[in-house]
Amino acid sequence: MNKVLQLGLQSSVINVAKSVRVGSSIVGVGVGTRSVNKRLMSNATVKSIPFSINNSKGKEVLKIVGAATDQNCHQMGSDSGRAEMGTLQDDQKDIEAMTVQELRATLRKLGLPVKGRKQELISTLRLHMDSNLPDESSVSDQKETTSSTRSESVSIKRKIRNREEPTGDECINSEAYGIEHGEKRVKQSTEKNLKAKVSAKAISKERKSLTKTGKQQIHSKEEASSTISSELLKTEEMISSLSQSEPWTVLAHKKPQKDWKAYNPKTMRPPPLPEGTKCVKVMTWNVNGLRALLKLESFSALQLAQRENFDILCLQETKLQVKDVGEIKKTLIDGYDHSFWSCSVSKLGYSGTAIISRIKPLSVRYGTGLSGSDHDMEGRIVTAEFDSFYLINTYVPNSGDGLKRLSYRIEEWDRTLSNHIKELEKSKPVVLTGDLNCAHEEIDIFNPAGNKRSAGFTIEERQSFGANFLDKGFVDTFRKQHPGVVGYTYWGYRHGGRKTNRGWRLDYFLVSESIAANVHDSYILPDINGSDHCPIGLILKL
């Protein structure tokens, strides 16, 4: 509502007591106009202008309605506002002249308490009147709002009608209501008005205090915020780019623990051993078809050998036949003159293992030594003896689709291999490496819950892995060096697991406990492609 209109109507409310009829439930005050300026402030047409005074609950309303001429809205001028302000002082005298009954009737209509002596009732009405007076800023706003108008002053005619006593029931009910709610209403109404005024003045002051310097500070903050946002965006882009080029550096696991980290060979490998330290560097890799790997333009065996400078390379799943071995030997890199191949004879182009070394071994054997055993018909084991240890390269049978080879795997293969290792260990420590086809713990597989009955993660295979190898004194070198690190060595082709680092750790270096302290580094090379597995390495001090 227009604030100028409020001024005139507030004055009218103070004189309501003079126009109360006894027993009447409505207090009416006529608002008339002598003349209206033809220049309109807007094209809006308004039939009436309501003015409401709410009680503390905001439910009872005293409405004063004025009619507008020519069916167009208009505003009271500043002269009218000042005239109404002047009449407020006269109203103070009118209040003093009112009887107790008139005071109570007026207060009751305003929703104010009616209990007490005359002086108390006068104070209550004055308090209400003062709380509804506009402040100086409001008057100033009213002058600015109406200065452009050419409205003539509007006179408010008031008539004091018959003064009669209210009925007995009306007084009793009003007093009872005042006892229960009156004092609280006066207090709440006063507090609300004071808070509103203080808040309005504070906001106005704050707006005026916004100087050029303040605007510059805000501008500087916006620039700083923009710079930070830009830097964050660049960082996110770098992380996104890194996750695409080096996905293994991003922790990928369905059920990660708080202290787990993604394996990053650039930051988690120890510094090289001092020059002259006697050691051997062994690498192992399931190549998933050696001939296909060598045909890849992106793969260079020479570059791999130069980069890693390994002494011994163990291969699994070469898928070679015996007739292919001679041709492959001719392509070996200079310096790696000793190679030993085991091929499947029960199923051609299947399985197969090999050891390629620049160190001449003392002896080499194939299989487990059990004549006629299925273990030795699939070319899954090559054992080389060196001066200070035995090296066993193996490709453990997969339990297969539907786990049809699960029983063979855990009841025959694992036990036979375990006995073979323990027999060799009687003379020298043993290094067992290769694709062991088991993700031993939940940290070793991206989705443990979804693979409870998948080959390589069944509870039977994991228990057998522990019972036949780890419980018999063999140490998982990578897990010992990196107890809370998620590092995978296999990613299935089907779902593009390598791009999102959703993999398994199936490739291992297990060593006899007697030489576990000599392991300088057990690492993974996830950046080398060409197979669904990646190479892993071991540096063993001799």
Side-chain angles (χ1 to χ4, degrees), residues 285-288 316-317 395 434-437 489-491 493 498 504-507 525-526 528-535:
W285 190 9
N286 179 324
V287 292
N288 191 22
Q316 303 90 45
E317 206 172 0
Y395 177 39
D435 178 1
L436 304 189
N437 256 319
T489 64
Y490 164 81
W491 302 266
Y493 284 138
R498 195 155 192 157
W504 304 48
R505 187 170 77 98
L506 301 177
D507 305 86
L525 297 176
I528 296 179
N529 298 304
S531 169
D532 50 0
H533 291 250
C534 73

Side-chain angles (χ1 to χ4, degrees), residues 246-252 260-270 307-308 443 477-479 481-489 491 501 505 521-527 534-538:
E246 299 181 351
W248 56 87
T249 61
V250 179
L251 179 60
W260 287 2
K261 299 178 181 178
Y263 179 69
N264 187 346
K266 292 182 178 180
T267 60
M268 294 184 176
R269 293 190 61 183
R307 168 184 153 178
E308 295 301 320
I443 193 175
T477 56
F478 181 84
R479 185 56 62 217
Q481 183 175 337
H482 306 287
V485 172
V486 177
Y488 303 131
T489 64
W491 302 266
N501 196 31
R505 187 170 77 98
D521 192 12
S522 181
Y523 59 98
I524 300 172
L525 297 176
D527 62 313
C534 73
I536 64 173
L538 178 77

Side-chain angles (χ1 to χ4, degrees), residues 244-296:
Q244 293 177 2
S245 61
E246 299 181 351
W248 56 87
T249 61
V250 179
L251 179 60
H253 199 280
K254 281 274 190 175
K255 192 181 176 181
Q257 301 299 314
K258 291 182 179 180
D259 57 341
W260 287 2
K261 299 178 181 178
Y263 179 69
N264 187 346
K266 292 182 178 180
T267 60
M268 294 184 176
R269 293 190 61 183
L273 288 168
E275 188 175 351
T277 303
K278 191 175 182 180
C279 64
V280 61
K281 187 174 188 178
V282 185
M283 294 197 69
T284 186
W285 190 9
N286 179 324
V287 292
N288 191 22
L290 182 59
R291 284 176 299 182
L293 175 65
L294 294 175
K295 290 178 182 179
L296 291 176

Side-chain angles (χ1 to χ4, degrees), residues 37-75:
N37 192 299
K38 297 299 182 180
R39 182 180 179 183
L40 304 179
M41 293 301 294
S42 69
N43 294 325
T45 301
V46 182
K47 292 290 182 72
S48 62
I49 304 173
F51 174 66
S52 302
I53 299 177
N54 297 335
N55 63 6
S56 61
K57 293 186 177 180
K59 295 181 179 179
E60 298 179 5
V61 179
L62 175 63
K63 296 183 177 179
I64 300 175
V65 181
T69 62
D70 295 331
Q71 296 184 343
N72 291 307
C73 70
H74 66 279
Q75 297 178 336

Side-chain angles (χ1 to χ4, degrees), residues 168-360:
D169 293 339
E170 192 175 5
C171 288
I172 294 172
N173 293 336
S174 298
E175 290 177 3
Y177 187 84
I179 292 172
E180 296 176 0
H181 305 282
E183 295 179 358
K184 291 183 179 179
R185 286 184 174 179
V186 173
K187 183 176 181 181
Q188 292 174 356
S189 177
T190 303
E191 289 178 349
K192 286 182 180 178
N193 289 323
L194 289 175
K195 288 180 180 178
K197 290 181 180 180
V198 172
S199 177
K201 290 180 179 180
I203 293 172
S204 178
K205 184 177 180 181
E206 184 175 348
R207 288 176 178 173
K208 291 179 180 179
S209 64
L210 185 59
T211 60
K212 184 177 179 180
T213 303
K215 292 180 180 179
Q216 291 176 347
Q217 290 176 349
I218 291 175
H219 184 65
S220 298
K221 289 181 179 179
E222 290 176 351
E223 288 182 347
S225 178
S226 177
T227 302
I228 293 172
S229 299
S230 177
E231 292 299 326
L232 287 174
L233 182 61
K234 289 180 181 179
T235 302
E236 289 176 357
E237 290 176 351
M238 290 175 62
I239 292 173
S240 176
S241 176
L242 186 63
S243 66
Q244 293 177 2
S245 61
E246 299 181 351
W248 56 87
T249 61
V250 179
L251 179 60
H253 199 280
K254 281 274 190 175
K255 192 181 176 181
Q257 301 299 314
K258 291 182 179 180
D259 57 341
W260 287 2
K261 299 178 181 178
Y263 179 69
N264 187 346
K266 292 182 178 180
T267 60
M268 294 184 176
R269 293 190 61 183
L273 288 168
E275 188 175 351
T277 303
K278 191 175 182 180
C279 64
V280 61
K281 187 174 188 178
V282 185
M283 294 197 69
T284 186
W285 190 9
N286 179 324
V287 292
N288 191 22
L290 182 59
R291 284 176 299 182
L293 175 65
L294 294 175
K295 290 178 182 179
L296 291 176
E297 295 181 359
S298 60
F299 173 76
S300 171
L302 177 60
Q303 290 178 351
L304 178 63
Q306 290 175 339
R307 168 184 153 178
E308 295 301 320
N309 192 29
F310 51 79
D311 298 303
I312 305 169
L313 175 63
C314 299
L315 303 177
Q316 303 90 45
E317 206 172 0
T318 59
K319 297 182 180 181
L320 296 178
Q321 297 182 37
V322 175
K323 64 180 182 67
D324 300 324
V325 173
E327 184 180 351
I328 293 295
K329 281 187 175 182
K330 293 178 182 179
T331 63
L332 292 177
I333 300 171
D334 291 342
Y336 295 92
D337 301 328
H338 312 286
S339 63
F340 312 93
W341 307 79
S342 180
C343 303
S344 172
V345 294
S346 61
K347 185 177 180 179
L348 300 180
Y350 172 74
S351 186
T353 53
I355 293 179
I356 302 171
S357 175
R358 60 186 176 191
I359 304 172
K360 185 178 180 179

Side-chain angles (χ1 to χ4, degrees), residues 2 6 18 23 83 107 118 120 149 173 212 215 228 247 300 382 462 465:
N2 186 280
Q6 284 181 321
K18 297 184 180 181
L107 292 172
K118 180 177 180 179
E120 294 174 347
T149 67
N173 293 336
K212 184 177 179 180
K215 292 180 180 179
I228 293 172
S300 171
V382 179
R462 295 164 62 194
F465 186 90

Side-chain angles (χ1 to χ4, degrees), residues 28-40:
V29 178
V31 181
T33 58
R34 290 193 302 178
S35 62
V36 180
N37 192 299
K38 297 299 182 180
R39 182 180 179 183
L40 304 179

